[in-house]
Amino acid sequence: MTEALSSLAEAFKNVGVSRAYGTPVKVVGEELIPVALVSFGFGGGGNSEAEGADAAGLESVAGGGGGGFVLPLGVYCRNGSGHVAFRPNMIALIGTLVPLVCAVGFTARGILRTLRR
């Protein structure tokens, strides 16, 4: 189990700002720097002294898993004159706002129902 955790720690050692900001790319005279929201997590566990482990012939039980996601937020662009601007990814913005708008709507509905009583 210790080897697995150390290998996971080594794999995620360089994760940080370099994952959120991509390498600059030149497109039609503009320099684009991609920006993303990066999230990941992992975990594991085990029990070497489980009840009945000796009877079943098992010495230890262990498991683990992980996952993550990347949400492209947009790009920073720099044109030939050096002007820098952020251009959001509208599809990701709308996709992120839909659950927020639904949550606000359900909350407002609950508050209005409570006030009517």
Side-chain angles (χ1 to χ4, degrees):
M1 186 66 152
T2 306
E3 299 86 22
L5 288 176
S6 63
S7 68
L8 279 174
E10 186 65 32
F12 289 104
K13 192 176 190 178
N14 296 325
V15 173
V17 175
S18 63
R19 297 287 183 215
Y21 296 96
T23 56
V25 178
K26 286 267 191 186
V27 176
V28 191
E30 286 188 332
E31 184 178 13
L32 302 176
I33 302 172
V35 181
L37 174 66
V38 180
S39 179
F40 63 92
F42 58 91
N47 188 359
S48 60
E49 298 177 13
E51 289 183 34
D54 293 332
L58 300 173
E59 292 184 15
S60 67
V61 178
F69 74 94
V70 177
L71 179 66
L73 297 177
V75 296
Y76 280 110
C77 59
R78 182 182 325 185
N79 59 12
S81 63
H83 179 71
V84 177
F86 180 75
R87 293 185 187 165
N89 178 354
M90 295 308 291
I91 295 172
L93 181 63
I94 291 170
T96 306
L97 288 179
V98 166
L100 178 65
V101 169
C102 289
V104 169
F106 285 127
T107 303
R109 184 180 74 173
I111 291 171
L112 291 174
R113 282 186 177 176
T114 304
L115 292 175
R116 284 187 194 166
R117 294 180 187 180

